[in-house]
């Protein structure tokens, strides 16, 4: 992703999703979100849909961050209107003791098979990005038992039994690393670690309970070297306060949400680290004029593409109600306007 | 609040609230949250409860940020489990045209009467803080019609009809200023502007749609001069990316959430601006040892109290499930440990 090119490459977080009619059709065919994620052929099908429709510059594996705790035996289900639920959340010493690192080639084989299928279908046209949730973000769901507004359960553990949380995070870091290494062996050409909930932590707690474990994951990855190195992108939503610290965790690129303009972000991160982002996904609900202006602003903020590089993206996943034509406008504007910076 | 004292003063956002049994008793007596807020005598009663129980260093008017749009005629109600709802949200040109600045001494007289009652009951023991929502935060509720996860309705307006949103924000800024000036005339000794939702905005949008209108409010306030000046605190939740810009908006103090340590915050803001914060409210669910350690960390991060000053607070409102005894530990630790810095 750091090779010279004529324009700024663009992909969108959650680009295979409910805003696309063809995605909804495939999901209907699968029967449920979980069945869709667990079918390598259908996961391959939806992974390619946005790539074919919009001419995006990367594909991202269609899957869910909760496949890993599900493979640990926590019992994942999706309740309509409520989001993910775990039947057996991890809340006490006994449950923590029993946690184990799942074998990616066994419990998570369906994901690895999807990677192989997608690589084959793409036949080297564009790179495929693999991904995982961060150890802390997975722990949020594992301890809370689902989505949360105030993260009271996990923060109560953090502030009363930090030893238990550290143990969970250790197991998660090893699990995530094994999972990502299996994705790399199956052919993904870049990795993104989604730290969706690190941003809810206090300053020091972020560094201790989220960033340190992402660094541990990266240390355990078989990324290869030189030209063949598989680049790692770390994205903490709400991570603007910590961009400088994140740039030292071993990642090749940092995802930036829309609260930090990229000119400032470039000043904060160390040389050679690329930036990814950072359009507010809600811009896609605006007029065509506004979409083009806001895409230009992001490109202008980053400016000339230096050795670090810029990958255009949204600052968070695309909203399910996004008008499809807005995405076409975005891709076209990024590809045409960014040429001046290359 | 900037006079020399022997220890760091402390109050807690939402200190009169559901974690207190005596608050729940008074609310039951009132019949509902809205009736409680609309009764000057009962609002006075709950305002004083935490002050008397914990020996806090400031009282904050018990009220709700949505009193202002309610006074504009939008029809406020609270649905159990769903939060606030407006019967008549502001979503089109016609609704925007009809918006008016409410008269604080008429539609909001119950708040002003509560201020007078509380000042009398406090008889100058400690200062009383008045407050309002920020123009943008009020607009979020007015346009969305209630709470929101993605702020899709207001952001769609922002990115497609910014003129309409600017008109709403103009009316809100004038309404907030008139409301706060009436609170000042009735005796509040400090003002806090709660910008609960400014942090969901993109970098430039925050400055244009939230910060600029808080500056407008402050410009319109009759704060007095010298020793008698009523200090203004601006608190944007998620405002860490913009602390430097916020410090130039005319506020005397900036509320900081827990994502920025106060040592860094001090370096970012201009001289003479005080800081307020910034303990993660969830620390209060931890062990006594952790509560004391985390309070000390906040005080150590700020360090010696300079002319700007430090007011200890949480980084957001206290959680309704907080163990009451934790608050006592917090107040005691802040009062005893902070003496070394004064």
């Amino acid at each position: 992703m750091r090779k010279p090119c004529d324009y700024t490459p663009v992909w969108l977080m959650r680009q295979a999703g409910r805003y696309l009619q063809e995605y909804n059709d495939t999901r209907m065919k699968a029967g449920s979100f979980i069945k869709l994620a667990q079918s390598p052929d259908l996961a391959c099908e939806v992974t390619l849909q946005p790539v074919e429709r919009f001419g995006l510059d990367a594909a991202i594996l269609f899957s869910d961050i909760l496949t890993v705790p599900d493979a640990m035996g926590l019992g994942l289900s999706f309740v309509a209107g409520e989001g993910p639920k775990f039947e057996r959340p991890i809340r006490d010493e006994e449950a923590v003791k029993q946690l184990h690192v799942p074998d990616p080639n066994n419990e998570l084989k369906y994901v690895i098979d999807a990677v192989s299928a997608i690589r084959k279908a793409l036949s080297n046209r564009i790179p495929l990005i693999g991904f995982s949730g961060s150890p802390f973000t997975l722990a949020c769901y594992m301890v809370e038992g689902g989505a949360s507004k105030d993260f009271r359960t996990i923060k109560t553990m953090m502030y009363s039994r930090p030893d238990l949380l550290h143990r969970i995070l250790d197991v998660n870091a090893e699990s995530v690393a094994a999972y990502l290494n299996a994705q790399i062996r199956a052919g993904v050409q870049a990795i993104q670690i989604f730290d969706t909930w690190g941003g809810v932590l206090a300053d020091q707690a972020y560094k201790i309970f989220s960033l340190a474990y992402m660094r541990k994951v990266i240390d355990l990855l078989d990324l290869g070297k030189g030209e063949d190195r598989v680049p790692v992108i770390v994205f903490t939503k709400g991570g603007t306060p910590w961009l400088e610290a994140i740039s030292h965790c071993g990642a090749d690129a940092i995802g930036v949400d829309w609260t930090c303009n990229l000119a400032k972000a470039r000043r904060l991160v160390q040389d050679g680290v690329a930036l990814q982002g950072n359009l507010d996904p809600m811009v896609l609900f605006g007029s065509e004029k506004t979409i083009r202006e806001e895409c230009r602003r992001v490109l202008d903020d980053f400016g000339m593409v230096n050795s670090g590089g810029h990958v255009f993206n949204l600052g968070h996943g695309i909203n399910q109600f996004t008008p499809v034509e807005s995405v076409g406008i975005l891709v076209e504007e990024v590809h045409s306007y960014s040429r001046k910076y290359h």
Side-chain angles (χ1 to χ4, degrees), chain A:
Chain A
M1 296 178 94
R2 288 205 266 165
K3 289 163 194 148
C5 50
D6 297 336
Y7 51 76
T8 301
V10 52
W11 66 279
L12 307 179
M13 289 189 269
R14 220 184 289 149
Q15 64 192 21
R18 286 178 285 181
Y19 72 104
L20 285 176
Q21 188 53 50
E22 57 266 38
Y23 169 90
N24 293 319
D25 292 345
T26 308
R27 180 175 158 151
M28 184 89 80
K29 198 162 68 183
S32 74
F33 174 75
I34 290 187
K35 285 182 187 157
L36 176 57
Q38 290 180 344
S39 157
D41 286 347
L42 297 181
C44 175
E45 187 174 307
V46 297
T47 297
L48 268 68
Q49 285 165 352
V51 170
E52 278 156 13
R53 189 193 264 259
F54 302 116
L56 292 155
D57 301 300
I60 179 160
L61 167 66
F62 176 81
S63 188
D64 191 84
I65 59 167
L66 300 181
T67 52
V68 171
D70 185 46
M72 291 173 174
L74 275 63
L76 177 64
S77 63
F78 286 85
V79 184
E82 288 183 47
K85 296 275 167 204
F86 281 115
E87 207 181 316
R88 293 171 289 279
I90 306 297
R91 291 186 181 158
D92 55 28
E93 192 142 8
E94 196 46 41
V96 171
K97 261 190 203 154
Q98 288 176 13
L99 271 182
H100 70 283
V101 176
D103 177 357
N105 295 306
N106 186 2
E107 292 99 322
L108 291 159
K109 187 168 182 297
Y110 62 92
V111 179
I112 308 309
D113 289 346
V115 170
S116 306
I118 299 163
R119 273 303 308 271
K120 200 173 161 193
L122 283 172
S123 56
N124 281 325
R125 277 177 292 157
I126 51 169
L128 172 62
I129 304 170
F131 74 91
S132 170
S134 73
F136 176 74
T137 292
L138 298 182
C140 285
Y141 290 101
M142 292 161 71
V143 176
E144 297 287 342
S148 174
K149 275 186 174 181
D150 57 14
F151 299 90
R152 185 154 49 97
T153 316
I154 191 166
K155 285 191 170 183
T156 298
M157 182 185 280
M158 175 181 298
Y159 290 124
S160 58
R161 286 296 305 273
D163 58 313
L164 293 186
L165 185 54
H166 279 297
R167 174 71 193 139
I168 296 172
L169 293 167
D170 264 325
V171 175
N172 284 0
E174 282 174 43
S175 303
V176 165
Y179 183 51
L180 291 175
N181 277 331
Q183 291 184 33
I184 292 170
R185 280 191 301 274
V188 301
Q189 292 139 300
I191 289 288
Q192 177 151 325
I193 300 174
F194 283 90
D195 187 28
T196 314
W197 297 123
V200 307
L201 291 172
D203 174 60
Q204 180 166 282
Y206 172 74
K207 290 164 189 163
I208 295 174
F209 294 97
S210 185
L211 188 57
Y213 288 93
M214 291 197 282
R215 180 194 303 267
K216 180 172 174 178
V217 169
I218 295 172
D219 286 347
L220 292 170
L221 292 180
D222 304 320
L223 298 170
K225 281 180 185 167
E227 285 273 303
D228 293 329
R229 180 178 162 95
V230 174
V232 179
I233 309 157
V234 163
F235 172 59
T236 294
K237 181 163 189 298
T240 295
W242 307 298
L243 289 178
E244 187 182 353
I246 297 170
S247 80
H248 291 92
C249 79
D252 302 83
I254 301 179
V256 182
D257 71 21
W258 56 83
T259 62
C260 187
N261 83 60
L262 293 185
K264 185 178 165 192
R266 271 184 80 162
R267 288 194 300 273
L268 289 172
V269 305
Q270 64 168 353
D271 276 356
V273 173
L275 295 179
Q276 177 176 281
N278 70 341
L279 193 75
D280 182 349
M282 291 299 150
V283 166
L284 298 172
F285 290 85
S287 59
E288 176 172 347
K289 182 167 166 287
T290 301
I291 296 169
R292 293 192 186 275
E293 281 171 1
E294 295 290 328
C295 286
R296 288 174 183 216
R297 185 204 310 289
V298 169
L299 292 162
D300 288 339
D301 281 344
F302 189 86
M304 283 306 291
V305 173
N306 67 355
S307 61
H310 177 211
V311 177
F312 196 99
N313 207 314
L314 303 177
H316 191 41
I318 190 167
N319 185 285
Q320 65 169 303
F321 301 106
T322 302
V324 170
E325 57 277 18
S326 295
V327 178
I329 295 166
L330 177 155
V331 174
E332 200 241 326
E333 187 64 33
V334 172
H335 281 170
S336 59
Y337 186 77
S338 68
R339 289 179 185 269
K340 63 190 263 197
Y341 289 120
H342 287 263

